[in-house]
Amino acid sequence: MFLNKSPFLILLLLSSITFSQNCTLEGLVTFNNNEPVLGAYVTIQNKTLKKETATGIDGEFKFSAIPYGEYDLEIYSIDAKPKKIKVVLNSNKKSINTTLTLTDYQDLDEVQVVRKSNKTIKETQGFAVSVIKTKEAGLRNLQTNELLNATAGIKIRQNGGLGSSVSYSLNGLSGSAVRIFIDGIPISIYGNSYNLNSIPPSMIKDIEVYKGVVPGHLADDALGGAINIVLHKGTRSHLNASVSYGSFNTVQTHVNGLYRFDKSGFTVKGSLFNNYSDNDYKVSGRSIVVTGLGGVQTPITARRFNDTYRSTGGMAQIGYTNVKWADQFLIGFNASEDYKEVQHGAFMTITPYKGRFLESDALLANLTYQKKDLFTEGLDVNINGVYGKRNRAVNDTVAAAYSWNGERAIDFRGDEYEYTWGSQQEGGPTLAKIKRHVASIRTGVSYEINEHHKVLLNHVYSGIDREDSDALQSYLENTFKGTRDFDKNIYALTYELSAFENRFKASLFGKHYQQKTTSIDPAIETDAEGNSTIVDEIVSSNNTFNGYGFATSYAITPKLTVLASAEKAIRLPNETEVFGNDGDNVVANPSIKPEQSNNYNLGFRFGKFNFNKHGLTVSTNLFTRNIKDRIGLPIENSFNIDDELILYVNQGSGTSKGIDAQLNYTYNRNFTLNFNVSKFELNIVNSGIEIDVPNTPFMTMNGNLRYSFKNLIQQKSRLNLFYSFHFTDDFSYLPKQGSNTVGDDFFKVPEQLAQDFGLSYAFPNKQLVVSFDIKNIFDKPVYDNLSVQKPGRAFYFKLNYSIHKF
């Protein structure tokens, strides 16, 4: 159908190019101290057109496809006096360099400028999206996951301390229903050894959180939403290094930098990270016991003793930036490895592990190509690719049983005992290894027909070629190894409309999903005559689905915007759910079906309202998710809290509905208050009975305060004080067993309130920042997935050093 119409589309595009006289306006904005202006709000307008943008990390801005004529160019920065320039566009390209005069507030926090302008643009396009600030977090001992956990509607589900497995819950939909991206590439392709905590906030420009409805340019099977980590694309030479030390012998080091040769545009870019923690925090509860003579169990408070984590890695890229043929052309590689001891299985059982650990490594080549106005005005191309190999190993050969005091467990007679199966986890000793060859490429092409119409075509391919082996299996079993192939293609076509002087914005998109999985396991068959032969047991599937959606916004007034979005979303089972994973105690389920959901959002954004020195913004989002074939743990069997293995199945159909609300308040640009609340219901029909989905907190609240003192101790210095709290309502990690609720409190996780305090001191040169953080000040017990306990009170000290001029 599209091919038959292609001559007409080509003719239309050629006509537009031939008969329109458009100009590309580029510019560079600096302060009067020669520093680039980050995040200034820039508009160009006349009686018939208005466009807006924000300056980048080097103070650059760009407007494409502006018709010839006279315009007013206006530039606003919170740190400087506004500026208005008359411009006449009468050629294909025009450049403007201008200077802003700093006000008396030049020493205040520039991050308010960067994120406010970007947040305003992104959060008024119709999607239920939140944009998270990262610059202040980069100066403190905060992880990217902690920033996400403080966002309305998001709950980070983590099974312990640093390095433990993490899943993300958005409005009740969690796990693989929420996709994580790094510049549009699914983060799962990088493996366990490279995750969000491996990326320092100083490398991150924005964190975009899309709830329920995911735009076509991300093009993935994100059923419940998506989190996109947008890395800095600036080409200004810089170097940033940080090191922190804290409780549980936790050390984290990050270095990242970029150097560009101005004449040639040749660019070198790199980063390194190293994380280590003993994770020996204290735990207590009904499973934390020591079993003595006669089987008597004595509750204790114990330190985790088999939970050490370390990870190391880096990225290096070379190429060209800001040259005629490319805005960005970079090739390089990512390398990472990690080591993680495993303290227990899915639940915290009375006999913890000692001697079971996991190892992972990855070596991946990467490619980035970006070009705006390729061949013609308005045609933009964006390509990101990753290819390489990943390995993961499971080591479990210790047969001795242990108690929570770290000593050998004894039986009722007082004798030390060993597991009859010869390993910590049931199933026997293992030196299992999973080798993967992985590839992912994201391609995006967009064409801006004019200031009102834009078309985008996006494609994401992800492929995994997996081979499983175990050194403790027989020679014959290792000779004929099982293989797993996993291929996924997702296409998205989007049309964007802007009308009524940019007051109305709409995005219409369609998505096509295709996934093929193949599992081949050699098996020995014996015929009637006793002859043995090797045969392949093959299980495969090939699924295709179609989805579609829209997002719209209308600015009723400049301070009041209504937003609505909807999507028929598909989530294909991931590799672990289909093939299993010994390291995560997951059993294979090749027959699992994709889950589907009809997602709806209705939101309002009020503000920003400014009066005197006060600023206020309020936003809300009502949502509902109608889910079919939800993927999760088996509800009818989950009462067995001694299970070490987990299996993902299609639980049934259900509904999630609720509300998010967020308030941001500022005073005199020294004080900020952020507060958000999320409350929802998540029900599912299982065996004909509607129940609340277990292991899900239905209400969360987060708040944080910041106050700045300038010129404290030294002129041009700045001290920031921070306070934050995180509230999670009580929830049951197991479903109610029928109408009899006696004993249900045994499975209930109580409500939790964790409070943090921090401070950071920026020295006058703004190159060195020292910070100190106390997390969980009052040492309250904090639990998460399946009632696994997380760390208590902890102290962290961090040094951050930056160079922005060479």
Side-chain angles (χ1 to χ4, degrees), residues 26-31 34-40 42 53-62 75 96-100 234-236:
E26 298 178 334
L28 196 66
V29 185
T30 57
F31 289 123
N34 293 323
E35 288 290 327
V37 180
L38 228 73
V42 186
T53 188
T55 55
I57 193 170
D58 295 320
E60 77 281 1
F61 69 89
K62 184 176 183 179
I75 306 171
I96 290 179
N97 294 338
T98 188
T99 301
L100 299 185
T235 57
R236 185 183 177 197

Side-chain angles (χ1 to χ4, degrees), residues 453-466:
H453 307 279
K454 189 175 184 179
V455 179
L456 304 92
L457 179 63
N458 296 89
H459 169 247
V460 170
Y461 165 78
S462 299
I464 299 174
D465 183 1
R466 169 175 154 177

Side-chain angles (χ1 to χ4, degrees), residues 23 167 245 280 369 442 448 460 495 563 616 676 775 800:
C23 176
S167 65
Y245 180 78
D280 57 343
Y369 178 78
R442 171 184 176 271
E448 185 175 353
V460 170
Y495 165 70
L563 308 99
L616 180 67
N676 65 68
K775 299 181 181 180
N800 191 93

Side-chain angles (χ1 to χ4, degrees), residues 556-772:
I556 300 173
T557 71
K559 303 293 186 182
L560 173 58
T561 304
V562 59
L563 308 99
S565 57
E567 181 181 9
K568 177 188 176 183
I570 311 294
R571 204 277 276 183
L572 306 169
N574 64 26
E575 176 207 356
T576 296
E577 292 161 343
V578 176
F579 299 141
N581 191 315
D582 289 340
D584 294 328
N585 292 19
V586 181
V587 179
N589 184 0
S591 62
I592 194 168
K593 296 185 294 185
E595 59 179 324
Q596 306 179 43
S597 180
N598 294 323
N599 300 334
Y600 306 93
N601 295 304
L602 177 62
F604 300 88
R605 191 177 191 276
F606 305 89
K608 183 179 182 181
F609 298 102
N610 294 299
F611 43 97
N612 295 329
K613 297 181 180 181
H614 305 269
L616 180 67
T617 305
V618 178
S619 58
T620 63
N621 182 53
L622 298 163
F623 63 87
T624 182
R625 317 277 186 251
N626 299 320
I627 310 160
K628 178 183 177 183
D629 295 326
R630 182 180 190 265
I631 296 176
L633 302 180
I635 291 178
E636 63 272 13
N637 295 327
S638 55
F639 57 83
N640 184 4
I641 64 172
D642 290 324
D643 276 350
E644 297 180 5
L645 303 176
I646 54 179
L647 170 77
Y648 287 99
V649 299
N650 296 108
Q651 295 175 331
S653 300
T655 302
S656 173
K657 55 186 177 181
I659 184 172
D660 297 334
Q662 184 161 314
L663 178 148
N664 299 316
Y665 169 78
T666 62
Y667 175 73
N668 199 28
R669 292 184 291 184
N670 274 359
F671 174 76
T672 61
L673 179 153
N674 300 308
F675 173 80
N676 65 68
V677 60
S678 177
K679 184 173 177 58
F680 64 93
E681 299 175 354
L682 179 56
N683 302 314
I684 195 163
V685 178
N686 183 261
S687 301
I689 301 174
E690 185 177 80
I691 63 171
D692 291 335
V693 172
N695 197 37
T696 302
F698 297 113
M699 180 180 177
T700 59
M701 288 190 296
N702 302 285
N704 66 77
L705 306 173
R706 178 185 68 88
Y707 191 84
S708 292
F709 299 89
K710 66 175 183 176
N711 301 325
L712 186 69
I713 303 176
Q714 298 172 291
Q715 287 294 317
K716 296 185 178 181
S717 66
R718 178 163 49 89
L719 173 68
N720 283 330
L721 300 180
F722 305 91
Y723 165 81
S724 61
F725 74 86
H726 310 282
F727 171 82
T728 304
D729 201 8
D730 61 18
F731 63 96
S732 177
Y733 64 91
L734 295 177
K736 295 180 179 179
Q737 304 300 313
S739 59
N740 184 1
T741 60
V742 176
D744 282 349
D745 288 344
F746 182 82
F747 305 114
K748 182 170 288 188
V749 177
E751 65 179 34
Q752 304 166 62
L753 177 63
Q755 301 176 71
D756 304 334
F757 171 79
L759 60 86
S760 66
Y761 184 80
F763 287 82
N765 60 13
K766 293 183 173 59
Q767 291 182 326
L768 178 64
V769 179
V770 179
S771 67
F772 177 71

Side-chain angles (χ1 to χ4, degrees), residues 190-374:
Y190 293 93
N192 296 80
S193 55
Y194 191 80
N195 53 50
L196 289 191
N197 286 337
S198 303
I199 307 172
S202 59
M203 291 179 61
I204 300 173
K205 177 184 177 183
D206 284 323
I207 303 178
E208 303 168 347
V209 180
Y210 292 92
K211 304 171 187 177
V213 180
V214 179
H217 73 264
L218 286 179
D220 206 349
D221 56 329
L223 185 87
I227 299 170
N228 187 32
I229 307 299
V230 183
L231 302 181
H232 279 298
K233 300 298 188 300
T235 57
R236 185 183 177 197
S237 298
H238 68 274
L239 178 67
N240 177 269
S242 65
V243 59
S244 70
Y245 180 78
S247 299
F248 323 121
N249 197 25
T250 301
V251 183
Q252 294 184 278
T253 306
H254 293 98
V255 180
N256 67 87
L258 177 147
Y259 190 84
R260 181 178 185 271
F261 296 85
D262 292 335
K263 289 185 178 180
S264 65
F266 184 73
T267 303
V268 180
K269 186 177 182 180
S271 65
L272 295 169
F273 70 87
N274 181 74
N275 302 305
Y276 178 86
S277 181
D278 290 337
N279 280 324
D280 57 343
Y281 58 92
K282 294 180 179 180
V283 292
S284 59
R286 54 181 171 269
S287 298
I288 314 303
V289 299
V290 173
T291 304
L293 293 173
V296 176
Q297 295 181 346
T298 304
I300 65 169
T301 296
R303 284 193 176 274
R304 295 169 75 95
F305 53 84
N306 190 57
D307 206 13
T308 297
Y309 171 74
R310 65 172 177 265
S311 66
T312 304
M315 177 273 293
Q317 291 180 310
I318 59 171
Y320 290 87
T321 57
N322 292 345
V323 291
K324 289 184 178 180
W325 51 275
D327 298 330
Q328 298 256 346
F329 174 73
L330 298 167
I331 57 173
F333 67 91
N334 292 69
S336 59
E337 63 177 9
D338 74 346
Y339 168 88
K340 177 70 174 72
E341 296 175 347
V342 183
Q343 185 70 84
H344 49 73
F347 293 87
M348 293 180 67
T349 54
I350 61 174
T351 51
Y353 298 159
K354 187 173 185 179
R356 179 179 172 89
F357 62 89
L358 313 173
E359 292 179 300
S360 304
D361 63 75
L363 182 61
L364 306 168
N366 60 62
L367 165 70
T368 299
Y369 178 78
Q370 295 178 353
K371 182 68 177 77
K372 290 186 176 182
D373 300 326
L374 181 66

